[in-house]
Amino acid sequence: MVAEGPGVAVAELKAPASSLSAEIQVDLYRQMVRIRRFEEKSAQAFMRAEIKGFCHLYIGQEAVAVGALSALEPRDAVITAYRDHGVALARGTPARACMAELLGKKTGCSRGMGGSMHLFDRANHFYGGHAIVGAHTALAAGLAFAQQYESTGGITLCLLGEGAVNQGVFSETLNLVSLWKLPIVFLIENNDYAMGTSVSRSSAGLPLVNRGSAFDLAGRTANGMDVEDVREKVAEAVSLARTEHLPTLLEVATYRYRGHSMSDPDTYRTKQEIEEWKKRDPILLYRQRLEERQVLSESLAKQIDGEARAEAQDALTFAEESPEPDLDLAFSLPFSPEDQIDPIPRPRYSDL
Ligand SMILES: Cc1ncc(C[n+]2csc(CCOP(=O)(O)OP(=O)(O)O)c2C)c(N)n1
């Protein structure tokens, strides 16, 4: 049986008329293809042991990051969990800086100190990339508090997996953002599985969007295989946050085609289930829709794909040729200069 995001009907895509310009539609398509090709290249690099440690791919979920982030302004803040490659790319972090980070190189967006799970790009207000499930939701509240306190006019978008909703910190955070009327949107990427556990085996009180109602958050759902639906629902929530300082909890039904991470044998679901979801592939279906609308020709689609493949290859070559990070930074970077008051001198890596 096909696992649908609980409470969220994954409708077959129709080709509704769009109020979006042709340029925006093509760009949404392009961004999804860029992420897909980047992730495929990452998988190859991982298999060759060029990427060490963890690597969680975003393949299948592209419409979520692309749709959601396309509804934001540059001054807005974005934060997510460890499945972060697609989010960083959609936010504007260069593919080279992302791939170099995956390879742990000095030219990476986190100077090679973070790796796959900790992409970070302050210039684009992308605040990570966090490995501890649920913990970043509290940091998101902090970002939104700062935006409100400093009257920046910005809002915070916090993406989280459905596996994070049962962490106590998330409930505490929902309480605070509602009480303090913070400009924030929480987007649950419900891909049905937290590692090997399906949401119906781990969570009571479905659908998950209901979790916000105890704290008076506005609740919305979206079809995560439909980039325009995600964009529209996020835009509504962003508007509520920006103009009325009302936080929203949004549940988006999506699916990851690959295992939880590159080392997951993926034995907890059937091949048939994965194939069923692939029939609703966000890139394939959006391409069909844009062709129907005569916004995308076959040759343009081919060109976009070629450029995305070239960008991914260029990013990998750049990363491979980049230098290793300075190891001493591993001891100095986690602390601000004022915090370096430890009377016991820290060992220099080179002394070890
Ligand atoms: C606090 C904490 N507990 C357990 C883990 C181990 N862990 C890593 S990923 C993961 C599953 C999270 O699933 P979800 O939030 O749905 O994100 P997805 O992988 O679907 O993107 C778990 C339990 C962790 N990183 N942090």
Side-chain angles (χ1 to χ4, degrees):
M1 192 187 133
V2 173
E4 295 196 347
V8 185
V10 180
E12 291 300 320
L13 289 181
K14 308 173 266 326
S18 175
S19 55
L20 302 175
S21 69
E23 195 185 350
I24 290 179
Q25 294 177 53
V26 171
D27 196 52
L28 292 174
Y29 179 75
R30 177 182 293 111
Q31 297 309 330
M32 290 195 291
V33 175
R34 282 182 66 227
I35 294 171
R36 178 75 52 97
R37 299 299 168 237
F38 180 95
E39 292 294 62
E40 288 165 352
K41 193 57 75 181
S42 304
Q44 291 167 10
F46 185 92
M47 298 307 282
R48 288 197 299 269
E50 289 183 282
I51 295 173
K52 300 166 181 76
F54 289 99
C55 184
H56 308 85
L57 300 180
Y58 202 61
I59 295 178
Q61 300 185 211
E62 295 90 346
V64 184
V66 171
L69 271 66
S70 75
L72 302 184
E73 294 180 10
R75 62 183 165 165
D76 296 332
V78 179
I79 187 166
T80 188
Y82 48 82
R83 201 175 297 284
D84 58 354
H85 312 168
V87 180
L89 289 168
R91 190 54 179 167
T93 309
R96 282 181 165 198
C98 290
M99 190 63 86
E101 192 57 42
L102 266 56
L103 268 70
K105 295 299 185 76
K106 190 176 181 174
T107 51
C109 56
S110 303
R111 298 202 234 173
M113 296 287 159
S116 160
M117 300 198 287
H118 303 105
L119 303 184
F120 202 91
D121 180 3
R122 196 172 165 190
N124 282 314
H125 298 295
F126 174 55
Y127 296 97
H130 296 267
I132 305 302
V133 172
H136 71 290
T137 60
L139 303 184
L143 290 168
F145 179 81
Q147 288 166 321
Q148 189 184 67
Y149 191 75
E150 293 172 359
S151 303
T152 66
I155 67 103
T156 295
L157 172 71
C158 174
L159 301 109
L160 58 143
E162 85 290 341
V165 300
N166 296 321
Q167 294 297 98
V169 64
F170 185 53
S171 297
E172 295 178 40
T173 301
L174 292 183
N175 180 54
L176 272 190
V177 300
S178 180
L179 199 62
W180 292 348
K181 295 201 179 322
L182 298 183
I184 193 162
V185 178
F186 290 103
L187 189 162
I188 303 169
E189 295 193 72
N190 186 352
N191 62 15
D192 201 15
Y193 295 97
M195 298 182 87
T197 307
S198 74
V199 66
S200 56
R201 292 179 60 220
S202 66
S203 297
L206 301 179
L208 296 174
V209 66
N210 288 348
R211 298 289 174 102
S213 58
F215 303 101
D216 295 333
L217 263 76
R220 297 275 186 283
T221 57
N223 177 356
M225 308 310 261
D226 179 345
V227 68
E228 289 185 3
D229 192 47
V230 176
R231 178 185 160 99
E232 189 184 318
K233 303 292 171 42
V234 172
E236 286 168 15
V238 166
S239 168
L240 264 186
R242 202 180 316 277
T243 57
E244 297 180 46
H245 290 246
L246 289 179
T248 295
L249 179 61
L250 190 71
E251 181 181 358
V252 178
T254 183
Y255 200 75
R256 60 167 161 75
Y257 298 167
R258 311 291 286 250
H260 165 73
S261 71
M262 287 297 292
S263 43
D264 175 7
D266 212 352
T267 51
Y268 45 83
R269 53 185 185 174
T270 63
K271 296 253 174 311
Q272 189 199 349
E273 176 182 307
I274 301 171
E275 291 312 311
E276 286 298 323
W277 275 89
K278 283 185 177 173
K279 289 182 191 160
R280 309 164 198 185
D281 183 76
I283 296 176
L284 201 68
L285 289 175
Y286 199 50
R287 177 174 170 172
Q288 282 169 5
R289 188 189 284 184
L290 296 195
E291 282 174 355
E292 266 178 55
R293 289 179 186 157
Q294 301 190 330
V295 164
L296 186 73
S297 63
E298 201 183 331
S299 65
L300 180 55
K302 231 179 186 168
Q303 183 191 327
I304 288 171
D305 192 56
E307 286 168 0
R309 285 176 194 276
E311 181 186 45
Q313 180 55 56
D314 169 75
L316 182 59
T317 306
F318 171 80
E320 287 167 344
E321 291 171 356
S322 289
E324 301 289 337
D326 302 322
L327 290 178
D328 284 341
L329 286 180
F331 291 91
S332 58
L333 272 185
F335 307 97
S336 69
E338 308 89 73
D339 287 341
Q340 309 229 0
I341 52 172
D342 189 345
I344 305 167
R346 293 175 211 284
R348 287 169 58 83
Y349 196 88
S350 47
D351 295 338
L352 296 179

